Amino acid sequence: MTTPEFDADVTAAIEQVRADVARLHGELTRYGLVVWTGGNVSGRVPGADLFVIKPSGVSYDDLAPENMILCDLDGNVIQGTPGSERNPSSDTAAHAYVYRHMPEVGGVVHTHSTFAVAWAARGEEIPCVITGMADEFGGPIPIGPFAIIGDDSIGRGIVETLTGHRSRAVLMQNHGPFTIGVNAKDAVKAAVMVEDAARSVHYAREAGPLIPIPQERIDALYARYQNVYGQGGDARR
Ligand SMILES: O=C(CO)[C@@H](O)[C@@H](O)COP(=O)(O)O
């Protein structure tokens, strides 16, 4: 089998995304967002119609840049590249669909984080009742449709739900959260923050009625957080 040739810039970009995606899977376990081999992270390769995703069902302890899987935007594994001997993630078609239809997206993450999955099991969006949600998601975290795993269904549900929506997270009904970002790290951050919001709002609602935040306040909080919070060189600026 021949190894495909990429120019120097694309080759360097592929290596960087492989390293980032492999390392970022460790953030899912660090924040308790997955058990066993559940969940996955992918990253678009800048300057190429390619993305990198984890191999299916491989222990997080064994993930490394060289066993990440390089795919085209149709979700086809690029044969002859490192890792291509394994099957890609179960959700490869979903990630690929998002990359094809949302060109601004550079990273996609899926987890089975407990509280977000509980909201997904009820098919209930998470209301925006804490400033942390206004900051990070600019409003409620929406529910996406029930979708079968393995074809374009999940990806179509993500794109239909998040296109034109401020949220970078969607709770796919009966399944769990998928998040998007300008890069893989940004999508992982959204996965961490959606679980934090799901947990806080769950406990708040258990204890009593939720106090809504006026829309103009949500808008102001979101604008500040997206444009002022952090450092000027942050990826989302
Ligand atoms: O949710 C599902 C399957 O139901 C998958 O995302 C999860 O099991 C992770 O699968 P992969 O190891 O990425 O193939």
Side-chain angles (χ1 to χ4, degrees), residues 25 37-41 53-58 60 87-92 95 110-112 149 154 175 178:
H25 278 89
T37 62
N40 35 69
V41 177
I53 195 164
K54 83 165 195 174
S56 182
V58 174
Y60 279 67
N87 295 324
S89 166
S90 314
D91 296 307
T92 299
H95 291 233
H110 169 48
T111 79
H112 292 166
I149 293 154
I154 291 178
H175 189 173
F178 282 78

Side-chain angles (χ1 to χ4, degrees), residues 125-186:
E125 79 171 15
I126 306 174
C128 186
V129 292
I130 53 179
T131 59
M133 283 187 65
D135 287 347
E136 190 67 39
F137 300 103
I141 296 169
I143 290 287
F146 179 88
I148 296 300
I149 293 154
D151 60 18
D152 281 350
S153 302
I154 291 178
R156 188 174 296 112
I158 296 167
V159 171
E160 287 169 358
T161 307
L162 293 186
T163 297
H165 200 293
R166 278 177 176 170
S167 178
R168 295 186 347 272
V170 56
L171 308 177
M172 295 302 284
Q173 185 184 305
N174 300 111
H175 189 173
F178 282 78
T179 63
I180 59 176
V182 295
N183 54 31
K185 182 179 178 182
D186 189 38

Side-chain angles (χ1 to χ4, degrees), residues 53-59 62-64 66-71 77-79 81-89 92:
I53 195 164
K54 83 165 195 174
S56 182
V58 174
S59 169
D62 298 331
L63 296 179
E66 61 273 14
N67 63 31
M68 293 294 106
I69 300 183
L70 184 66
C71 298
V77 175
I78 307 298
Q79 296 304 322
T81 57
S84 61
E85 69 281 2
R86 285 186 162 136
N87 295 324
S89 166
T92 299

Side-chain angles (χ1 to χ4, degrees), residues 172-206:
M172 295 302 284
Q173 185 184 305
N174 300 111
H175 189 173
F178 282 78
T179 63
I180 59 176
V182 295
N183 54 31
K185 182 179 178 182
D186 189 38
V188 167
K189 179 187 177 187
V192 172
M193 303 301 262
V194 66
E195 177 63 5
D196 186 54
R199 177 169 48 243
S200 297
V201 179
H202 166 81
Y203 284 133
R205 194 169 67 171
E206 289 284 289

Side-chain angles (χ1 to χ4, degrees), residues 6 13 24 30 50 70 91 158 165 168 204 218 229 233 235:
F6 301 109
L24 286 165
R30 182 157 82 105
L50 299 166
L70 184 66
D91 296 307
I158 296 167
H165 200 293
R168 295 186 347 272
I218 293 174
Y229 177 81

